[in-house]
Amino acid sequence: MKFALREYLLALGTSLALSGAAMAQDISVAVVGPMTGSEASFGQQFKNGADLAIADINAAGGVLGKKLKLEVGDDACDPKQAVSVAEKMAGAKIPFVVGHFCSSTSIPASDAYAEGNVLQITPGSTNPLFTERGLWNTFRVCGRDDQQGMVAAAYIIKNYKTKNVAIIHDKTTYGKGLADETKNAINAAGVKEKLYEAYTKGDKDFAALVSRFKKESIDFVYVGGYYAEAALILRQMREQGVNAVLMGGDALVDKQFAAIAGPLAEGSLFTFSPDPRKKVTAAATLKKFKDKGIDPDGYTLYSYAAFQIWSQAVARAQTTDAKKIAATIKSGNWDTVLGNISYTPKGDITLIDYVVYRRDKDGNYTELPAAGQ
């Protein structure tokens, strides 16, 4: 019995050692975003995309003969928390991070990643400053606010040039940046907004702001901000008898906007890319999500695409060294669920494809034809 026990313990020890060695061979990568807080639905989209991407990459053999292991970081869209998470990821020698969502977190986090030799691809941070500072490690798979601001402005100029337009924002890097890009674009075309005001992210009572809309007979409200406040503003507008059309940016794509606004969401507008779920390149991946009971809405497929780009670049460069991969990504073309992606020297995608969407009474949204924009 003693001999058998000794042999069993030796075998168990060997098994554990081999298991530890196998685990040591894993390559850790990360997804970071607002897993908690008011924008947590976007964090879940990031994670859904990451989970399936890692599973698919590993099923195909991993990268460099090794499996990927996913780490998840929560920044709650808070800049200080984002920097703390970024420093931890850099300290853990993680070579690649997909994140963050809020531009106010992606921008400060990118400095920590750059210092820690971490490559960063954001699926959803649209503020131009993210890629305008000359950092070597910053990429995105989405567009920029100066691009979607121009699309929003074109809609306003065509349909509300002679009407009373209000432009408001939530003071965040994303919200103010997007509002200002839209404002600058309509101003350049000779259209002057009737009202330009700010509110605070997290506010619930917008009675004073809505009263200004009534006083100025506002016909159209452009919101630079996130879905929670935008939906509440819309509800309170209607409660006070303000029938102005409300429009926002890509942060209004989330289904939670319609959940908060209810039937009042009908007729509201937002800018986003052509629905990635309808792309031929996403068909097979879309089915996998559907089989899991997941609707890959919003930025889910953008997160998936970010991992595709990195894994393909690693295979091409035969290394996970972040700086070498950054150079490889900028010099190549990458096949993704979003289609073929290539990059500018700054780390922006070369394709500009924002469009305008309108929500119906059920909260679903439909792309407006170009002629109607």
Side-chain angles (χ1 to χ4, degrees), residues 23-365:
M23 290 178 67
Q25 293 298 310
D26 290 344
I27 298 173
S28 289
V29 292
V31 61
V32 182
M35 304 301 163
T36 60
S38 60
E39 314 308 325
S41 58
F42 286 112
Q44 188 60 54
Q45 290 172 13
F46 278 22
K47 186 175 182 300
N48 286 342
D51 284 339
L52 185 58
I54 296 300
D56 285 349
I57 292 168
N58 284 342
V63 296
L64 304 181
K66 300 177 182 180
K67 299 292 186 181
L68 296 181
K69 179 184 177 184
L70 183 66
E71 304 290 339
V72 180
D74 177 22
D75 66 14
C77 271
D78 175 73
K80 290 183 179 179
Q81 192 165 324
V83 171
S84 177
V85 171
E87 290 173 344
K88 288 178 181 177
M89 295 297 179
K93 306 297 182 183
I94 289 175
F96 175 56
V97 169
V98 169
H100 301 213
F101 174 66
C102 295
S103 293
S104 59
T105 57
S106 273
I107 292 171
S110 64
D111 292 313
Y113 290 134
E115 292 176 6
N117 201 39
V118 180
L119 181 73
Q120 178 186 7
I121 300 181
T122 174
S125 292
T126 51
N127 189 278
L129 189 60
F130 176 70
T131 50
E132 286 290 339
R133 291 164 301 142
L135 295 182
W136 63 269
N137 66 321
T138 51
F139 295 81
R140 53 180 135 216
V141 286
C142 57
R144 296 167 39 136
D145 289 335
D146 48 356
Q147 297 164 351
Q148 69 169 324
M150 288 178 63
V151 173
Y155 181 89
I156 296 170
I157 293 164
K158 180 172 182 177
N159 298 284
Y160 291 89
K161 186 175 183 178
T162 60
K163 302 292 185 178
N164 294 329
V165 175
I167 296 179
I168 61 175
H169 65 81
D170 65 359
K171 305 177 189 175
T172 66
T173 302
Y174 164 74
K176 186 178 187 303
L178 181 55
D180 286 349
E181 293 289 356
T182 303
K183 178 182 181 297
N184 293 340
I186 66 169
N187 290 168
V191 177
K192 176 65 177 175
E193 70 282 356
K194 183 80 170 180
L195 191 67
Y196 178 80
E197 291 289 339
Y199 59 91
T200 301
K201 189 177 187 299
D203 281 354
K204 300 288 192 296
D205 184 356
F206 299 97
L209 183 61
V210 174
S211 293
R212 290 290 308 277
F213 295 162
K214 290 185 72 173
K215 181 181 178 181
E216 300 293 347
S217 301
I218 296 300
D219 301 297
F220 186 93
V221 178
Y222 184 83
V223 182
Y226 295 91
Y227 65 77
E229 293 79 18
L232 289 175
I233 289 170
L234 178 59
R235 286 180 58 175
Q236 292 174 38
M237 282 168 54
R238 298 296 182 258
E239 289 168 0
Q240 290 197 38
V242 176
N243 294 317
V245 172
L246 182 139
M247 183 183 202
D250 56 302
L252 271 59
V253 69
D254 194 276
K255 62 185 66 174
Q256 288 300 312
F257 174 84
I260 296 170
L264 297 177
E266 183 177 8
S268 60
L269 309 166
F270 64 92
T271 47
F272 192 59
S273 66
D275 194 338
R277 294 171 297 182
K278 296 182 179 179
K279 293 180 180 288
V280 174
T281 48
T285 304
L286 180 66
K287 184 180 185 304
K288 291 179 182 179
F289 277 115
K290 295 291 187 181
D291 290 344
K292 292 178 176 291
I294 296 173
D295 177 14
D297 61 339
Y299 284 102
T300 306
L301 290 169
Y302 288 78
S303 175
Y304 187 100
F307 283 100
Q308 285 183 300
I309 292 168
W310 179 81
S311 63
Q312 290 174 42
V314 169
R316 185 173 300 179
Q318 287 295 293
T319 180
T320 59
D321 179 80
K323 290 184 178 178
K324 292 180 179 178
I325 296 304
T328 300
I329 290 175
K330 288 178 181 178
S331 64
N333 287 274
W334 312 101
D335 292 322
T336 78
V337 289
L338 303 176
N340 187 267
I341 289 178
S342 59
Y343 282 92
T344 69
K346 294 179 180 179
D348 292 310
I349 58 175
T350 56
L351 179 66
I352 302 174
D353 61 351
Y354 281 104
V355 295
V356 177
Y357 290 91
R358 176 184 284 122
R359 287 195 183 271
D360 61 25
K361 63 180 180 179
D362 297 318
N364 299 315
Y365 52 84

